[in-house]
Structure formats: structure tokens, C-alpha cells
Amino acid sequence: MKKLNVTIHLELSVPDDWELVTTSEGGRVLKLPNQQFLDLAIEPLFASDPEETWSSADNEDAMNDILDMVESEEVVYEFVTH
């Protein structure tokens, strides 16, 4: 096996009422209105042709196989104020 590092950087414009909260395990997630929470993480997408439409795995086992390969994951949230 060989290692593959994937870095994901997203910049989003979000509503002012979204908040950052810390979980009991020390992780950070977003608190949305109506007591909903959001954690952005990897979700594998698949296609039979790279020029066609990509979608989530039809087979949950295929998605789980990919996720099982992830040894660590780090998502950092930070609100930027100007």
C-alpha cells in the first residue's frame, strides 16, 4: 500500500446565525438553526466516466471500503471577519 494525502480547503459564505461549537471529544462542528449540526467531511463520489455525472456510492459497502482507508481526518473551522 502507498499513502495518499488529500487536503480539502473550502471557503463558504454562511448565514450569520451559524455558530462553531465544540463536541465532548474536542472536535469542532457547526451549529445551524433549529438545533441542527453540520460537520463537513469526506464523502467519496463515483462515476463510470470522468466526464459524466458523479454521485455517491450506490453501494454502501463501496463507500465504507473507501472510508476504511482513511487513517486520520482533520477539519478546521474558522470564521473570518474583516
Side-chain angles (χ1 to χ4, degrees):
M1 280 270 194
K2 55 187 172 185
K3 296 282 184 190
L4 171 66
N5 290 334
V6 178
T7 301
I8 300 172
H9 174 90
L10 302 173
E11 187 172 308
L12 294 84
S13 294
V14 300
D16 290 334
D17 58 354
W18 285 24
E19 301 174 38
L20 288 173
V21 296
T22 303
T23 67
S24 63
E25 295 179 352
R28 303 278 298 222
V29 297
L30 292 162
K31 181 180 179 186
L32 311 181
N34 302 322
Q35 293 299 312
Q36 287 188 307
F37 296 88
L38 171 66
D39 187 12
L40 298 172
I42 182 175
E43 179 184 350
L45 299 176
F46 298 88
S48 58
D49 181 330
E51 304 304 322
E52 298 297 323
T53 302
W54 292 76
S55 63
S56 298
D58 292 333
N59 178 337
E60 194 170 305
D61 289 336
M63 185 172 76
N64 287 334
D65 288 345
I66 297 294
L67 293 175
D68 285 345
M69 293 179 196
V70 177
E71 293 180 8
S72 67
E73 178 181 351
E74 180 181 354
V75 177
V76 177
Y77 296 98
E78 174 186 15
F79 284 120
V80 178
T81 56
H82 299 277

